[in-house]
Amino acid sequence: MMTNLFSSFDPSTNFNLSMNWLSPILGMLIIPSLFWLTPSRISILWLNIILTLHKEFKIISNNKGSTLIFISLFTYIMFNNFLGLFPYIFTSTSHMVMTLSLALPLWLSFMIYGWFNNTIHMFAHLVPQGTPPILMPFMVCIESISNIIRPGTLAIRLSANMIAGHLLMTLLGNTGPMLSIIFINFLIITQILLLLLESAVSIIQSYVFTILSTLYSSEVN
C-alpha cells in the first residue's frame, strides 16, 4: 500500500530497488537484433519517421548535421516516456534530475557557442526589432530572464506532463477495490482510454522538447 501518492515516482518504491534508474538503458536489452539486421516493417516505419524528423529539423536548424543529435534526443525521450507506461518500471522522465540533465547541457552548449562565435548576434537578440529606446533596458532584462529560464521550462514541461498522467491513472486505479463490478468495467475502459492518451502524450512531449531545443539552437547561428 502506498503511503504517499507521489511514492510511485520514487525510484526505491518498486521492489525497493535503487537500480531503477537503469531503466533508461533497458532499450538495449528489449530491442531485438533482427530489428537492426534485417529490413522489416518496423525498421521501414522507423526510417520514415527519422527522415520526416530530419526534414523538419533541417528547416528549423541552420546546421544540417545537427539534426542527428535532435533525432537521437527525440528517440531517447520517447522511449523513456513509453517505458513508464509499463507496470513496475520506473518513469525516469518524471524526475527533474533526468529532464534537467538533458535540457541544461543543451542550453549551456548553445549559449557558450553563441556568445563566443556570434557575440554581436546574441546581443541583437536581447533587443527585439522596433523596440523604443526608452524600453530597451527593460527589454534586455526581460529577454535575459526568459533566456536563462529556458532549460527550467523545458525540464518542468516534460516532467510535469509525465507526472500528471501517471497521477491521474494512479488515483483512478486506487478506487478500484471500493467499486462494484459495473463501475469497475467503466473504470477499466477509462484506464484504457487514459493509457492511449498517455501514449500520445509520450510522443507529443518528446517532440515538443526536441523541437524547442532545435529552435533554441537556431537562434545562436
Side-chain angles (χ1 to χ4, degrees), residues 107 111 125-126 128 138-154 216 219:
W107 174 84
M111 290 298 101
H125 265 291
L126 296 178
F138 300 101
M139 292 305 299
V140 170
C141 294
I142 293 172
E143 289 295 325
S144 300
I145 294 173
S146 66
N147 198 2
I148 291 172
I149 64 174
R150 278 178 176 179
T153 55
L154 274 178
Y216 297 158
E219 292 182 1

mmCIF file of all heavy atoms in Angstrom, residues 107 111 125-126 128 138-154 216 219:
data_model
loop_
_atom_site.group_PDB
_atom_site.id
_atom_site.type_symbol
_atom_site.label_atom_id
_atom_site.label_comp_id
_atom_site.label_asym_id
_atom_site.label_seq_id
_atom_site.Cartn_x
_atom_site.Cartn_y
_atom_site.Cartn_z
ATOM 1 N N TRP A 107 21.215 23.622 -23.482
ATOM 2 C CA TRP A 107 21.106 25.087 -23.440
ATOM 3 C C TRP A 107 22.465 25.729 -23.189
ATOM 4 O O TRP A 107 22.812 26.740 -23.807
ATOM 5 C CB TRP A 107 20.122 25.480 -22.349
ATOM 6 C CG TRP A 107 20.027 26.958 -22.121
ATOM 7 C CD1 TRP A 107 19.269 27.855 -22.814
ATOM 8 C CD2 TRP A 107 20.719 27.706 -21.113
ATOM 9 N NE1 TRP A 107 19.451 29.118 -22.297
ATOM 10 C CE2 TRP A 107 20.328 29.055 -21.266
ATOM 11 C CE3 TRP A 107 21.622 27.354 -20.103
ATOM 12 C CZ2 TRP A 107 20.819 30.060 -20.435
ATOM 13 C CZ3 TRP A 107 22.106 28.353 -19.283
ATOM 14 C CH2 TRP A 107 21.703 29.689 -19.451
ATOM 15 N N MET A 111 24.508 28.400 -25.553
ATOM 16 C CA MET A 111 24.910 29.720 -25.079
ATOM 17 C C MET A 111 26.411 29.941 -25.227
ATOM 18 O O MET A 111 26.858 31.007 -25.669
ATOM 19 C CB MET A 111 24.501 29.891 -23.603
ATOM 20 C CG MET A 111 23.005 30.017 -23.365
ATOM 21 S SD MET A 111 22.279 31.473 -24.167
ATOM 22 C CE MET A 111 21.527 30.737 -25.610
ATOM 23 N N HIS A 125 19.800 39.785 -30.181
ATOM 24 C CA HIS A 125 18.612 39.044 -29.758
ATOM 25 C C HIS A 125 18.013 39.599 -28.471
ATOM 26 O O HIS A 125 16.835 39.354 -28.179
ATOM 27 C CB HIS A 125 18.959 37.566 -29.550
ATOM 28 C CG HIS A 125 18.662 36.726 -30.748
ATOM 29 N ND1 HIS A 125 17.377 36.453 -31.172
ATOM 30 C CD2 HIS A 125 19.480 36.101 -31.629
ATOM 31 C CE1 HIS A 125 17.416 35.692 -32.258
ATOM 32 N NE2 HIS A 125 18.679 35.472 -32.561
ATOM 33 N N LEU A 126 18.811 40.324 -27.686
ATOM 34 C CA LEU A 126 18.319 40.855 -26.421
ATOM 35 C C LEU A 126 17.377 42.041 -26.618
ATOM 36 O O LEU A 126 16.621 42.385 -25.712
ATOM 37 C CB LEU A 126 19.496 41.265 -25.529
ATOM 38 C CG LEU A 126 20.423 40.129 -25.074
ATOM 39 C CD1 LEU A 126 21.568 40.691 -24.250
ATOM 40 C CD2 LEU A 126 19.653 39.083 -24.287
ATOM 41 N N PRO A 128 14.504 43.213 -29.221
ATOM 42 C CA PRO A 128 13.696 42.931 -30.420
ATOM 43 C C PRO A 128 13.659 44.132 -31.361
ATOM 44 O O PRO A 128 13.771 45.291 -30.935
ATOM 45 C CB PRO A 128 12.303 42.628 -29.840
ATOM 46 C CG PRO A 128 12.546 42.240 -28.417
ATOM 47 C CD PRO A 128 13.748 43.018 -27.981
ATOM 48 N N PHE A 138 14.610 47.657 -20.210
ATOM 49 C CA PHE A 138 13.634 46.690 -19.689
ATOM 50 C C PHE A 138 13.568 45.443 -20.580
ATOM 51 O O PHE A 138 13.460 44.322 -20.074
ATOM 52 C CB PHE A 138 12.249 47.338 -19.596
ATOM 53 C CG PHE A 138 12.203 48.532 -18.688
ATOM 54 C CD1 PHE A 138 12.225 49.818 -19.207
ATOM 55 C CD2 PHE A 138 12.155 48.367 -17.309
ATOM 56 C CE1 PHE A 138 12.176 50.916 -18.364
ATOM 57 C CE2 PHE A 138 12.112 49.465 -16.459
ATOM 58 C CZ PHE A 138 12.127 50.745 -16.990
ATOM 59 N N MET A 139 13.654 45.649 -21.889
ATOM 60 C CA MET A 139 13.604 44.507 -22.811
ATOM 61 C C MET A 139 14.821 43.623 -22.659
ATOM 62 O O MET A 139 14.729 42.385 -22.766
ATOM 63 C CB MET A 139 13.486 45.003 -24.251
ATOM 64 C CG MET A 139 12.170 45.682 -24.580
ATOM 65 S SD MET A 139 10.730 44.648 -24.218
ATOM 66 C CE MET A 139 11.025 43.259 -25.295
ATOM 67 N N VAL A 140 15.984 44.229 -22.387
ATOM 68 C CA VAL A 140 17.195 43.435 -22.163
ATOM 69 C C VAL A 140 17.033 42.564 -20.919
ATOM 70 O O VAL A 140 17.394 41.372 -20.924
ATOM 71 C CB VAL A 140 18.427 44.362 -22.041
ATOM 72 C CG1 VAL A 140 19.644 43.564 -21.556
ATOM 73 C CG2 VAL A 140 18.737 45.016 -23.374
ATOM 74 N N CYS A 141 16.479 43.136 -19.851
ATOM 75 C CA CYS A 141 16.245 42.356 -18.628
ATOM 76 C C CYS A 141 15.248 41.225 -18.868
ATOM 77 O O CYS A 141 15.465 40.081 -18.447
ATOM 78 C CB CYS A 141 15.738 43.266 -17.512
ATOM 79 S SG CYS A 141 16.937 44.480 -16.945
ATOM 80 N N ILE A 142 14.152 41.537 -19.556
ATOM 81 C CA ILE A 142 13.117 40.530 -19.810
ATOM 82 C C ILE A 142 13.654 39.410 -20.696
ATOM 83 O O ILE A 142 13.444 38.214 -20.425
ATOM 84 C CB ILE A 142 11.877 41.195 -20.441
ATOM 85 C CG1 ILE A 142 11.205 42.138 -19.448
ATOM 86 C CG2 ILE A 142 10.882 40.140 -20.914
ATOM 87 C CD1 ILE A 142 10.098 42.975 -20.044
ATOM 88 N N GLU A 143 14.360 39.773 -21.770
ATOM 89 C CA GLU A 143 14.899 38.763 -22.681
ATOM 90 C C GLU A 143 15.974 37.925 -21.998
ATOM 91 O O GLU A 143 16.084 36.716 -22.259
ATOM 92 C CB GLU A 143 15.480 39.445 -23.928
ATOM 93 C CG GLU A 143 14.436 40.037 -24.861
ATOM 94 C CD GLU A 143 13.555 38.992 -25.492
ATOM 95 O OE1 GLU A 143 14.056 37.892 -25.782
ATOM 96 O OE2 GLU A 143 12.353 39.263 -25.692
ATOM 97 N N SER A 144 16.767 38.550 -21.124
ATOM 98 C CA SER A 144 17.802 37.800 -20.408
ATOM 99 C C SER A 144 17.179 36.781 -19.464
ATOM 100 O O SER A 144 17.614 35.624 -19.394
ATOM 101 C CB SER A 144 18.709 38.755 -19.626
ATOM 102 O OG SER A 144 19.345 39.674 -20.483
ATOM 103 N N ILE A 145 16.144 37.208 -18.738
ATOM 104 C CA ILE A 145 15.472 36.284 -17.807
ATOM 105 C C ILE A 145 14.796 35.150 -18.571
ATOM 106 O O ILE A 145 14.889 33.975 -18.178
ATOM 107 C CB ILE A 145 14.448 37.054 -16.952
ATOM 108 C CG1 ILE A 145 15.156 38.038 -16.027
ATOM 109 C CG2 ILE A 145 13.582 36.090 -16.139
ATOM 110 C CD1 ILE A 145 14.229 38.961 -15.280
ATOM 111 N N SER A 146 14.122 35.485 -19.679
ATOM 112 C CA SER A 146 13.454 34.436 -20.464
ATOM 113 C C SER A 146 14.454 33.461 -21.062
ATOM 114 O O SER A 146 14.146 32.275 -21.240
ATOM 115 C CB SER A 146 12.603 35.066 -21.568
ATOM 116 O OG SER A 146 13.428 35.722 -22.514
ATOM 117 N N ASN A 147 15.652 33.953 -21.350
ATOM 118 C CA ASN A 147 16.688 33.072 -21.895
ATOM 119 C C ASN A 147 17.266 32.166 -20.820
ATOM 120 O O ASN A 147 17.548 30.991 -21.067
ATOM 121 C CB ASN A 147 17.800 33.926 -22.520
ATOM 122 C CG ASN A 147 18.664 33.132 -23.466
ATOM 123 O OD1 ASN A 147 18.428 31.959 -23.700
ATOM 124 N ND2 ASN A 147 19.680 33.763 -24.008
ATOM 125 N N ILE A 148 17.421 32.705 -19.602
ATOM 126 C CA ILE A 148 18.022 31.931 -18.516
ATOM 127 C C ILE A 148 17.092 30.808 -18.055
ATOM 128 O O ILE A 148 17.555 29.717 -17.688
ATOM 129 C CB ILE A 148 18.394 32.864 -17.347
ATOM 130 C CG1 ILE A 148 19.560 33.775 -17.756
ATOM 131 C CG2 ILE A 148 18.766 32.075 -16.106
ATOM 132 C CD1 ILE A 148 19.864 34.858 -16.750
ATOM 133 N N ILE A 149 15.789 31.056 -18.056
ATOM 134 C CA ILE A 149 14.847 30.050 -17.533
ATOM 135 C C ILE A 149 14.469 28.996 -18.579
ATOM 136 O O ILE A 149 13.648 28.117 -18.296
ATOM 137 C CB ILE A 149 13.564 30.715 -17.001
ATOM 138 C CG1 ILE A 149 12.794 31.408 -18.139
ATOM 139 C CG2 ILE A 149 13.884 31.690 -15.892
ATOM 140 C CD1 ILE A 149 11.447 31.956 -17.717
ATOM 141 N N ARG A 150 15.036 29.082 -19.767
ATOM 142 C CA ARG A 150 14.668 28.111 -20.808
ATOM 143 C C ARG A 150 14.930 26.659 -20.422
ATOM 144 O O ARG A 150 14.058 25.799 -20.628
ATOM 145 C CB ARG A 150 15.405 28.454 -22.107
ATOM 146 C CG ARG A 150 14.732 29.551 -22.900
ATOM 147 C CD ARG A 150 15.525 29.887 -24.147
ATOM 148 N NE ARG A 150 14.823 30.880 -24.970
ATOM 149 C CZ ARG A 150 15.302 31.362 -26.097
ATOM 150 N NH1 ARG A 150 16.488 30.960 -26.545
ATOM 151 N NH2 ARG A 150 14.610 32.247 -26.789
ATOM 152 N N PRO A 151 16.110 26.315 -19.878
ATOM 153 C CA PRO A 151 16.282 24.897 -19.505
ATOM 154 C C PRO A 151 15.312 24.448 -18.429
ATOM 155 O O PRO A 151 14.858 23.295 -18.433
ATOM 156 C CB PRO A 151 17.745 24.849 -19.020
ATOM 157 C CG PRO A 151 18.091 26.243 -18.682
ATOM 158 C CD PRO A 151 17.317 27.095 -19.634
ATOM 159 N N GLY A 152 14.966 25.364 -17.499
ATOM 160 C CA GLY A 152 13.994 25.008 -16.469
ATOM 161 C C GLY A 152 12.613 24.757 -17.027
ATOM 162 O O GLY A 152 11.932 23.808 -16.633
ATOM 163 N N THR A 153 12.189 25.590 -17.970
ATOM 164 C CA THR A 153 10.865 25.388 -18.568
ATOM 165 C C THR A 153 10.819 24.102 -19.392
ATOM 166 O O THR A 153 9.810 23.402 -19.395
ATOM 167 C CB THR A 153 10.496 26.587 -19.452
ATOM 168 O OG1 THR A 153 11.532 26.804 -20.430
ATOM 169 C CG2 THR A 153 10.330 27.836 -18.623
ATOM 170 N N LEU A 154 11.903 23.801 -20.085
ATOM 171 C CA LEU A 154 11.960 22.541 -20.839
ATOM 172 C C LEU A 154 11.831 21.344 -19.903
ATOM 173 O O LEU A 154 11.072 20.408 -20.168
ATOM 174 C CB LEU A 154 13.277 22.457 -21.615
ATOM 175 C CG LEU A 154 13.353 23.093 -22.997
ATOM 176 C CD1 LEU A 154 14.760 22.942 -23.570
ATOM 177 C CD2 LEU A 154 12.348 22.482 -23.948
ATOM 178 N N TYR A 216 15.947 26.744 -30.143
ATOM 179 C CA TYR A 216 16.965 27.452 -29.357
ATOM 180 C C TYR A 216 18.323 27.400 -30.051
ATOM 181 O O TYR A 216 19.089 28.368 -30.001
ATOM 182 C CB TYR A 216 17.063 26.855 -27.953
ATOM 183 C CG TYR A 216 15.809 26.994 -27.130
ATOM 184 C CD1 TYR A 216 15.550 26.161 -26.042
ATOM 185 C CD2 TYR A 216 14.855 27.963 -27.431
ATOM 186 C CE1 TYR A 216 14.400 26.283 -25.285
ATOM 187 C CE2 TYR A 216 13.692 28.101 -26.682
ATOM 188 C CZ TYR A 216 13.471 27.250 -25.614
ATOM 189 O OH TYR A 216 12.322 27.371 -24.880
ATOM 190 N N GLU A 219 18.755 29.951 -32.904
ATOM 191 C CA GLU A 219 18.880 31.360 -32.538
ATOM 192 C C GLU A 219 20.329 31.785 -32.326
ATOM 193 O O GLU A 219 20.619 32.984 -32.318
ATOM 194 C CB GLU A 219 18.086 31.653 -31.258
ATOM 195 C CG GLU A 219 16.573 31.555 -31.452
ATOM 196 C CD GLU A 219 15.822 31.906 -30.180
ATOM 197 O OE1 GLU A 219 16.506 32.239 -29.175
ATOM 198 O OE2 GLU A 219 14.597 31.847 -30.191
#
